[in-house]
Amino acid sequence: MPSARADKPAHDDPATVRAMRLSTWFALLSGLLGGVLVIWPYLLPVGGPWVQLALGAMTLFFAFRARAIGTRGVTDYDGRLSLLAALGGFAILFFAGNAAFKVLVSLGG
């Protein structure tokens, strides 16, 4: 089945490539920071799970933005780094959601 992309040429303009690279690196950076906070939660004692949840959401946002830009507008796009960041974002959300749920349960009663 032919893809829809075969009809549309990729743009490969410098702004598209730059936006894709920046989104990928922002996703990796926020994923790394979120992973560090999941592994060592005592580094941020106040608001830890909430910051981790925000970093996980940012990681997913930037990773999927990089993948969308790359698949639409960059020829020979290799999305392994953004895929790695997206998987890390899902892991961060899972573990941070667990910690946030424990905090909410302890407050409730």
Side-chain angles (χ1 to χ4, degrees):
M1 178 175 205
S3 67
R5 186 171 178 203
D7 299 340
K8 298 177 186 174
H11 295 46
D12 268 356
D13 61 342
T16 303
V17 175
R18 183 172 184 263
M20 186 259 317
R21 285 186 182 158
L22 279 175
S23 294
T24 300
W25 285 111
F26 285 156
L28 287 171
L29 181 67
S30 62
L32 179 69
L33 189 58
V36 165
L37 288 177
V38 165
I39 293 171
W40 297 294
Y42 56 85
L43 291 177
L44 189 65
V46 178
W50 313 114
V51 173
Q52 293 169 2
L53 282 171
L55 284 170
M58 281 177 39
T59 301
L60 285 176
F61 172 77
F62 283 123
F64 285 120
R65 177 153 173 77
R67 291 187 68 77
I69 293 170
T71 54
R72 282 190 219 136
V74 178
T75 54
D76 298 331
Y77 170 68
D78 182 22
R80 288 183 282 184
L81 285 177
S82 60
L83 179 62
L84 176 69
L87 291 173
F90 283 121
I92 292 166
L93 282 178
F94 177 77
F95 290 112
N98 184 20
F101 182 73
K102 286 180 184 177
V103 167
L104 290 176
V105 166
S106 69
L107 290 176

